[in-house]
Amino acid sequence: MPKSLTYTVKELLTSILQTWPGNADIVYGIGRETTIQELSVSYKEATRSIGYAKRYDIPIVEYSMLGLERLLYEVDQELLERFMEDKLHRLRTADSTLIHTLKLFIKSNRNQKQTAKQLHVHPNTLYYRLKKVEELLKIDFANEKDWIDFVVAFQIFMSLNKKMC
């Protein structure tokens, strides 16, 4: 979406909120910019964005800004849960410290130094925790396929267990 259009969307939303100030529970879904002939596609995207916004309690969702979430939202929930279970089932017994460590490790894009700093732990402690996860799940974070599968499964886990995470 061009910068000027994004700015226009923000202006429009500000105007709507000023016009109807008491409607804080309204959610907004924004489809991608399209030609008039493809307006129905943008409308469907906006509708999907609204569904996503409601599910995850987000006030404004731009369809084009959704990444992996867009795919995960469109896939059958049971299929996602089975994928997550296949990849992470051995983590069920893990304590919340390990889950928090993994969350920060993913967020820092596998930067161990930054993750250790955020956790206020020695880098060796982080290394031990990560090796424990790799052994538990029988994966190698250095292997691209293992890493991608793990991150996708962990994202599903996070969305299904928001209160825990």
Side-chain angles (χ1 to χ4, degrees):
M1 186 177 284
K3 267 189 172 183
S4 61
L5 187 57
T6 300
Y7 182 73
T8 304
V9 168
K10 288 180 182 178
E11 282 182 325
L12 176 62
L13 292 174
T14 300
S15 175
I16 290 169
L17 292 172
Q18 288 173 349
T19 305
W20 295 290
N23 294 321
D25 58 340
I26 294 176
V27 294
Y28 303 91
I30 303 165
R32 289 180 295 141
E33 180 180 5
T34 62
T35 63
I36 194 75
Q37 292 83 8
E38 296 178 341
L39 190 58
S40 65
V41 173
S42 183
Y43 176 78
K44 288 175 186 173
E45 292 170 351
T47 302
R48 288 182 179 127
S49 297
I50 290 170
Y52 184 87
K54 287 180 179 179
R55 178 189 256 175
Y56 295 103
D57 198 26
I58 303 169
I60 303 166
V61 174
E62 290 182 63
Y63 192 78
S64 64
M65 300 307 288
L66 293 174
L68 178 62
E69 306 92 4
R70 178 165 59 186
L71 299 176
L72 295 179
Y73 179 69
E74 299 287 336
V75 174
D76 176 60
Q77 191 73 20
E78 187 179 323
L79 181 63
L80 290 176
E81 289 174 18
R82 276 190 263 137
F83 177 80
M84 179 197 66
E85 181 66 21
D86 290 345
K87 299 297 176 185
L88 302 179
H89 70 277
R90 292 181 190 96
L91 266 184
R92 272 188 273 169
T93 58
D95 64 16
S96 60
T97 304
L98 201 54
I99 301 298
H100 183 63
T101 298
L102 292 168
K103 182 178 173 183
L104 291 180
F105 185 58
I106 291 169
K107 190 175 182 179
S108 74
N109 199 25
R110 291 192 272 188
N111 185 321
Q112 291 188 17
K113 185 176 179 180
Q114 182 182 348
T115 304
K117 186 176 179 180
Q118 288 176 330
L119 290 169
H120 306 290
V121 298
H122 191 276
N124 288 344
T125 303
L126 175 63
Y127 177 81
Y128 169 77
R129 289 180 189 175
L130 296 175
K131 284 298 166 194
K132 183 177 177 181
V133 170
E134 288 178 321
E135 290 169 11
L136 191 64
L137 299 179
K138 296 178 178 27
I139 63 172
D140 177 5
F141 287 148
N143 178 295
E144 184 178 5
K145 183 189 179 330
D146 285 352
W147 176 250
I148 291 170
D149 285 351
F150 168 75
V151 171
V152 170
F154 197 80
Q155 292 293 79
I156 296 166
F157 172 81
M158 295 292 288
S159 70
L160 294 175
N161 297 286
K162 282 190 178 225
K163 292 175 185 169
M164 181 180 161
C165 306

